[in-house]
Amino acid sequence: MTLRFSVLASGSTGNAFYIESDKERLLVDAGLSGKQMDHLFSEIDIDPSTLTGILVTHEHSDHIKGLGIIARKYNLPIFANEKTWNAMERSIGKIGLDQKFYFNMEQVKTFQDLDIESFGVSHDAAEPMFYTFHHEGKKVALVTDLGYVSERIKKTVEDADAYIFEANHDVGMLRMGRYPWNVKRRILGDSGHVSNEDCGLALTDIISNRTKRIYLAHLSLDNNMKDLARMSVDSVLQERGITLDLHDTDPKAPTPLYEVV
């Protein structure tokens, strides 16, 4: 009854997430080059030839840069919704029909011993969606790339054992930073990214006594820092009497494999 995962890479330069059960080994997104993806897997002692499939969240390049390469190299099925397929097909190269599968938004799909629920998020992509993973009563929620956390999303991801949750930016750093105003407005908007404070506020509504692990994900290289993100989110949680260890993610290095118990 094993459920283990690693945040292989997370950030504006590349995103990839690995999760395994007793019978499945799945990759979510492949936002780095094929060579970099192979290196990340070697760092956690996983042979990518043993993967059973790839799930896609949306078509932005920091999520699909190495998708076609990895899928062709290891002959892996790819699962994405129709609008995402339409938006990314030109970018990922030729994919055989026997590797192309649809996973619709707001759907629960069973992969042998792993039930995966997809849910829509507010982000400036064709039809972006993320996932919760369920195995033998255990639940892991992957939640990044969203402008705000709706009540519907909170209901879907609440009461998980572990979260990989976006803490993209510090609002003050972003406002004072070098980005042009139209980019700042996009990031701060409802189809952009979640700030440190909003991450903390959302977590206070969704975590429960069973929550043991939180990874802060998709941190901006220009508008955030790991220590600042942890401090900001922790401050919000502490105000509500919640004490939990917060863990970092990195755009170039994987987190150690974590087993949900």
Side-chain angles (χ1 to χ4, degrees):
M1 297 198 303
T2 299
L3 184 63
R4 298 195 302 168
F5 68 83
S6 167
V7 185
L8 294 172
S10 183
S12 47
T13 57
N15 296 273
F17 176 73
Y18 170 75
I19 189 162
E20 68 174 28
S21 60
D22 297 311
K23 296 181 179 180
E24 289 287 340
R25 288 188 161 193
L26 294 169
L27 174 64
V28 182
D29 291 340
L32 298 93
S33 71
K35 185 177 181 180
Q36 288 173 303
M37 291 298 304
D38 281 343
H39 174 71
L40 292 171
F41 276 113
S42 72
E43 290 280 294
I44 59 168
D45 293 321
I46 295 294
D47 181 353
S49 69
T50 64
L51 289 171
T52 52
I54 308 175
L55 308 178
V56 181
T57 62
H58 62 295
E59 75 278 7
H60 288 169
S61 61
D62 59 323
H63 292 261
I64 64 164
K65 182 177 181 180
L67 176 60
I69 296 165
I70 292 288
R72 284 186 291 273
K73 184 175 181 179
Y74 300 111
N75 193 32
L76 296 170
I78 301 173
F79 298 84
N81 63 52
E82 185 176 3
K83 288 184 179 179
T84 297
W85 268 115
N86 292 339
M88 73 179 180
E89 277 192 293
R90 289 184 182 177
S91 302
I92 64 174
K94 187 172 177 58
I95 299 294
L97 287 175
D98 60 334
Q99 293 175 264
K100 183 176 178 179
F101 294 88
Y102 290 100
F103 191 158
N104 297 323
M105 190 186 286
E106 317 296 342
Q107 180 182 12
V108 177
K109 206 172 186 70
T110 299
F111 294 75
Q112 296 195 89
D113 61 345
L114 196 58
D115 292 326
I116 304 176
E117 181 177 6
S118 64
F119 57 93
V121 298
S122 175
H123 193 55
D124 55 354
E127 192 166 82
M129 67 185 194
F130 280 79
Y131 304 96
T132 59
F133 304 85
H134 304 260
H135 173 71
E136 301 289 346
K138 301 165 186 172
K139 179 179 179 180
V140 174
L142 177 62
V143 195
T144 71
D145 294 80
L146 68 169
Y148 69 100
V149 188
S150 68
E151 293 304 315
R152 178 182 53 79
I153 290 174
K154 288 178 185 178
K155 197 69 182 169
T156 302
V157 304
E158 68 182 0
D159 194 29
D161 296 273
Y163 289 96
I164 302 87
F165 210 97
E166 179 169 63
N168 177 258
H169 59 275
D170 173 80
V171 173
M173 282 184 71
L174 176 61
R175 289 189 182 279
M176 296 296 291
R178 61 182 179 83
Y179 285 9
W181 175 241
N182 64 312
V183 177
K184 294 179 182 181
R185 189 169 55 195
R186 170 193 169 261
I187 294 169
L188 291 166
D190 284 349
S191 297
H193 291 280
V194 167
S195 69
N196 295 337
E197 185 177 7
D198 285 344
C199 168
L201 291 170
L203 286 170
T204 62
D205 289 339
I206 60 178
I207 59 178
S208 67
N209 291 335
R210 72 187 267 188
T211 305
K212 298 295 186 289
R213 180 72 54 128
I214 297 172
Y215 291 89
L216 302 182
H218 214 301
L219 273 67
S220 168
L221 288 175
D222 292 302
N223 303 303
N224 213 349
M225 295 179 288
K226 290 180 180 180
D227 289 346
L228 177 59
R230 277 200 316 276
M231 185 178 68
S232 300
V233 175
D234 187 56
S235 175
V236 177
L237 295 178
Q238 295 269 11
E239 284 177 9
R240 287 152 180 79
I242 300 169
T243 303
L244 269 173
D245 285 339
L246 301 172
H247 297 265
D248 294 325
T249 58
D250 193 275
K252 295 181 179 178
T255 63
L257 272 172
Y258 173 72
E259 182 166 358
V260 183
V261 294

